[in-house]
Amino acid sequence: MSSTDVEQVLRKQRLRSLQAGSMLRAGVVIIMLLGMVIDTDPIRWPAQIALLGSYALIAICTLAVAFSAARSRFTGDKALLTFALVDVAAVFGFKLLSPGGYIPLLVMALLPRMVAVELSVRRAATVLACSLAVFTASVLLDPVIAPRLGPAITALIVLMYGFVCGTALLVVLFRLRNVDEMAKLTRSRDELLAQTMTASEVERRQISESIHDGPLQDVLAARRDIADFVKVSPDAPLEHALASLQDASRLLREATFELHPAVLDQVGLAAAVEKLASVAAARSGIAITTDTDYREANGIDPILFGVVRELLANVTRHSQATRASVKLEVADDVARIDVVDNGIGINRDAAARRLAQGHIGLASHRSRVEAAGGTLTIVNEPVGAHLRVELPLRR
C-alpha cells in the first residue's frame, strides 16, 4: 500500500471518515439538546448548556473544516483520534450531568455508530474500549438506574452495549478489508497499465522502424532516381510524380515520428512535444505554440507524449481553431498539460451530450489518463476549448 494511487484511496477514505463523523457529531448535539429538554432536571440546565455549547462549537468547527479547502490537514490519525475522544468525553460529561436519566444513557449508544466510520482498527478499538468503560461506569454509578433495574438487567444492558461496540469494530474491519481489496486492484491495474503501455510503445517503435527502413527508403530511392532522370531530361509527368513522391516521403516521415519519435529518446520529451506541435501546425494550418518546462531529470514518460498527441489530434480534427497552445510543466512529480485553442469550444455539458451521442474520443482519452492515476479536466472558457491533464510521473 505504498503506491501513489493507494495513498490517494486511503486519503479519500480518511476524508470521508472526517466528513461523516462531523455530520454525525452535529446530529448527536441535536439529540443531546432534545434529551436535556425532555429527560433532565431544569436545575441542571446551566451546566448542561455550557457543556452542550462547547461541544456544539466543536461540532460546527469540525463540520466547517471537513468541507473546506484545509480539510486535508485534519485527516491524520492523531486528529481523528482526538475528535473521537472529544465525543466520548462530551457524551460522558452529559451523562454525569444527568443522573437518573434514561435518554442521556441512550445517547451513549450513538458513540459506536460514530466510530463505525473510522478507518483504523487501533483508533476504533481505543475509542470503543473507552466508550464501553464509560458506559459501564455510568450505569453502575448512576444513583437511580442500577438500583431500579437490578444487577441482572444492568449486566445485560452492559453486555448489549458491548455487543454494539463489537459490531462497530467489525464494521471498521470490513471497511479496511474493502480498502485492502481496492489497494490490490489498484496495484494490479498499475501493473497491467505498465505492461500495456510497454507493449504499445514497443509495437509503435517496431511499426515506426519498419516504415522508416522499408517503404520510406523505397520512396526516397525512387524519388532520387526520378530526380536524377529529370535533371537530364525534363518531363512534366515525371516532375509531377516527383512532387507526389516528395509528399509521400514527408507523410511517411510524419507517420514514423508520431508513432515513436526518435527525438523522444535522443533529446527528450520537451523537444518531442515541440516537434509534434510543429508537425500538427504544418498539417492543419493552425498556429500552435508550445511552452515546455520539462527537464530530463523528470524521466521520459511515453504516456505524456501520447496524451499530447491525442489532444493535439482532437484540436486539429474538431476545434476549427486558428490558434492553439500547448503548455507542459512539472510540479511535485506531477506533470500538467494544458492544451488551449480559440475554436468552437467544448464544455462539460457539451462533452456529456457528445458522449451520449456515441462520440467516445474524449471519453477514451479521459479513461487512459485516469487509468494512469491522473485527471483530464475540461476548463470552461468564454472562447475556445481548454483541456487540462494532470498526471503523476512514471519514471
Side-chain angles (χ1 to χ4, degrees):
M1 298 179 65
S2 59
S3 70
T4 302
D5 287 340
V6 175
E7 288 299 325
Q8 290 178 352
V9 170
L10 293 175
R11 194 178 303 115
K12 289 180 180 178
Q13 291 292 331
R14 293 191 189 100
L15 175 59
R16 289 169 183 168
S17 296
L18 176 66
Q19 293 174 339
S22 64
M23 291 187 289
L24 291 173
R25 193 170 293 112
V28 170
V29 171
I30 296 174
I31 293 173
M32 290 170 67
L33 179 62
L34 294 176
M36 181 190 74
V37 175
I38 295 172
D39 196 44
T40 61
D41 189 349
I43 298 177
R44 304 181 182 274
W45 283 5
Q48 292 175 342
I49 290 174
L51 174 66
L52 278 178
S54 302
Y55 188 50
L57 181 61
I58 295 174
I60 293 172
C61 291
T62 56
L63 187 62
V65 167
F67 294 92
S68 70
R71 57 184 179 269
S72 59
R73 301 178 183 177
F74 296 90
T75 55
D77 289 340
K78 291 183 179 179
L80 294 176
L81 178 60
T82 301
F83 290 148
L85 292 178
V86 167
D87 296 332
V88 175
V91 174
F92 181 49
F94 181 67
K95 181 63 187 73
L96 288 179
L97 296 175
S98 311
Y102 290 97
I103 292 181
L105 187 65
L106 293 176
V107 171
M108 299 194 67
L110 299 175
L111 288 174
R113 179 63 188 88
M114 297 178 68
V115 174
V117 302
E118 292 290 344
L119 199 66
S120 168
V121 174
R122 181 179 300 178
R123 184 169 61 245
T126 300
V127 176
L128 290 173
C130 293
S131 301
L132 181 59
V134 167
F135 182 85
T136 303
S138 299
V139 172
L140 296 178
L141 298 178
D142 191 281
V144 176
I145 295 177
R148 181 176 297 179
L149 297 179
I153 297 180
T154 300
L156 180 60
I157 291 175
V158 172
L159 287 176
M160 291 176 62
Y161 190 81
F163 178 80
V164 173
C165 291
T167 303
L169 187 60
L170 286 177
V171 171
V172 175
L173 288 172
F174 288 144
R175 291 191 70 210
L176 280 174
R177 180 175 296 179
N178 291 336
V179 172
D180 289 338
E181 290 297 327
M182 284 190 291
K184 292 178 182 177
L185 290 175
T186 299
R187 284 193 292 268
S188 299
R189 186 198 68 183
D190 288 345
E191 294 172 359
L192 180 60
L193 176 65
Q195 294 171 2
T196 302
M197 291 303 301
T198 300
S200 176
E201 289 303 317
V202 170
E203 184 178 15
R204 284 179 176 273
R205 181 192 293 269
Q206 291 174 346
I207 295 174
S208 176
E209 292 175 351
S210 297
I211 294 175
H212 182 274
D213 298 336
L216 179 58
Q217 299 305 316
D218 293 338
V219 170
L220 291 175
R223 188 186 71 176
R224 183 177 60 253
D225 293 340
I226 293 176
D228 292 340
F229 185 82
V230 168
K231 289 178 182 178
V232 177
S233 178
D235 183 79
L238 288 178
E239 290 178 354
H240 180 72
L242 180 61
S244 297
L245 288 173
Q246 289 175 341
D247 291 338
S249 63
R250 176 180 56 82
L251 293 174
L252 286 172
R253 288 184 187 278
E254 292 177 359
T256 57
F257 172 79
E258 291 182 348
L259 283 169
H260 185 83
V263 68
L264 184 62
D265 296 329
Q266 297 171 359
V267 184
L269 180 63
V273 169
E274 293 172 0
K275 176 64 176 177
L276 181 63
S278 66
V279 170
R283 179 183 300 169
S284 63
I286 301 174
I288 302 177
T289 60
T290 59
D291 179 10
T292 55
D293 183 14
Y294 192 93
R295 296 171 176 82
E296 293 307 305
N298 293 318
I300 297 176
D301 192 342
I303 297 180
L304 292 176
F305 180 80
V307 169
V308 177
R309 178 179 58 215
E310 297 296 337
L311 293 183
L312 279 178
N314 191 67
V315 170
T316 58
R317 292 171 187 167
H318 307 296
S319 69
Q320 301 178 23
T322 59
R323 297 190 311 276
S325 65
V326 179
K327 184 176 182 181
L328 170 63
E329 59 183 352
V330 176
D332 298 329
D333 280 342
V334 175
R336 189 170 81 175
I337 303 168
D338 287 279
V339 178
V340 185
D341 65 68
N342 67 341
I344 58 176
I346 182 172
N347 55 34
R348 295 183 180 90
D349 295 335
R353 287 196 300 269
R354 289 180 61 183
L355 181 60
Q357 294 168 357
H359 301 283
I360 61 173
L362 194 60
S364 65
H365 301 339
R366 175 176 282 130
S367 298
R368 292 177 185 177
V369 170
E370 290 178 350
T375 58
L376 188 153
T377 307
I378 300 174
V379 181
N380 287 331
E381 298 284 357
V383 177
H386 182 178
L387 278 77
R388 173 174 294 167
V389 174
E390 293 181 321
L391 193 66
L393 290 178
R394 298 172 183 270
R395 302 184 183 279

